[in-house]
Amino acid sequence: MAKFKQLTVWLENKPGTLAAMAEALGRAKVNILAYMADEAEGQSRVRLVASKPGKAGKALAGLNLRFSEEEVVGVVLANKPGTLAEAAGKLGLAGININHGYCGSEEGSKKQLVIFGVSDLQRASKALK
């Protein structure tokens, strides 16, 4: 279990905006460890965890993009059925609400990184150990 800084970026909801943001991060030598995007309030909301959040923020500011930062927890789980249920269950038993989450892995991969935006970061960190 680790704590991460998550950036939430608001983009115009039109073709090419995610690519432009990701290209700027790539030029800044920032690796995107996890991301999700959805539509909210007529815009694209992108949540991402980056290898270098400070450099990522500078790159986003250089594009004049509106973004915010918050701490989230991440846990590396085995890539097999039931592991998400187990992690979410631990948080639920500890009385911690999951506000949002995202993950992904390739079929056959042994591990996956799961990100949780939670109601209580400190207690979540303990519950997921």
Side-chain angles (χ1 to χ4, degrees):
M1 192 295 312
K3 294 179 188 174
F4 292 96
K5 188 159 290 197
Q6 173 184 270
L7 303 172
T8 301
V9 187
W10 294 92
L11 302 173
E12 284 186 79
N13 190 11
K14 67 178 192 178
T17 55
L18 179 62
M21 181 201 73
E23 287 172 3
L25 294 174
R27 282 192 305 274
K29 305 287 190 238
V30 172
N31 189 26
I32 298 171
L33 304 176
Y35 98 100
M36 68 168 284
D38 62 358
E39 184 181 10
E41 302 173 19
Q43 293 186 305
S44 291
R45 176 179 52 193
V46 178
R47 290 181 167 140
L48 64 93
V49 173
S51 61
K52 300 172 186 167
K55 286 182 90 172
K58 288 179 184 176
L60 296 172
L63 294 175
N64 294 316
L65 294 174
R66 181 172 59 107
F67 69 95
S68 62
E69 298 179 1
E70 70 176 300
E71 283 195 315
V72 294
V73 294
V75 61
V76 176
L77 302 176
N79 187 17
K80 63 181 187 178
T83 56
L84 177 60
E86 183 180 338
K90 287 178 182 180
L91 294 172
L93 287 173
I96 299 162
N97 188 49
I98 300 170
N99 298 319
H100 64 274
Y102 47 101
C103 68
S105 64
E106 183 178 1
E107 184 68 35
S109 296
K110 294 190 184 297
K111 302 284 183 184
Q112 60 182 323
L113 172 64
V114 181
I115 303 295
F116 292 111
V118 294
S119 60
D120 188 323
L121 192 68
Q122 300 304 323
R123 288 181 39 226
S125 297
K126 290 178 185 175
L128 291 171
K129 284 189 178 184

